Amino acid sequence: MGIVVNLDVMMARRKMSLTDLANEVDITLANLSILKNNKARAVRFSTLEAICRALDCQPGDILEYTAEDASKS
């Protein structure tokens, strides 16, 4: 699986909607949705920093590494 984005979990914990977070971070709703749905191929540190500031969390609360399943390769 690789890197998993748990943005939806942190948003739920902070009771923040996607629209509210997009406005707070100053990122388009479409780009934030791509990140939330694990479709993003990259994220800028400045964006990650703004998300962490808005959600009062650490990058590790949002990003998680999971090992690839060797049997699927």
Side-chain angles (χ1 to χ4, degrees), residues 20-32:
D20 291 339
L21 184 59
N23 290 334
E24 178 107 10
V25 175
D26 196 28
I27 187 173
T28 66
L29 197 56
N31 284 338
L32 192 57

Side-chain angles (χ1 to χ4, degrees), residues 1-5 38 63-69:
M1 188 116 220
I3 302 295
V4 177
V5 180
N38 282 314
L63 303 175
E64 175 186 355
Y65 171 74
T66 57
E68 296 284 334
D69 187 355

Side-chain angles (χ1 to χ4, degrees), residues 12-57:
R13 286 182 183 164
R14 302 297 190 253
K15 295 179 173 58
M16 187 175 282
S17 72
L18 196 64
T19 303
D20 291 339
L21 184 59
N23 290 334
E24 178 107 10
V25 175
D26 196 28
I27 187 173
T28 66
L29 197 56
N31 284 338
L32 192 57
S33 182
I34 288 168
L35 182 60
K36 183 180 85 74
N37 293 314
N38 282 314
K39 301 295 183 195
R41 303 304 273 154
V43 61
R44 290 184 177 161
F45 281 142
S46 59
T47 302
L48 183 58
E49 180 182 357
I51 290 170
C52 287
R53 188 179 312 113
L55 294 175
D56 189 27
C57 67

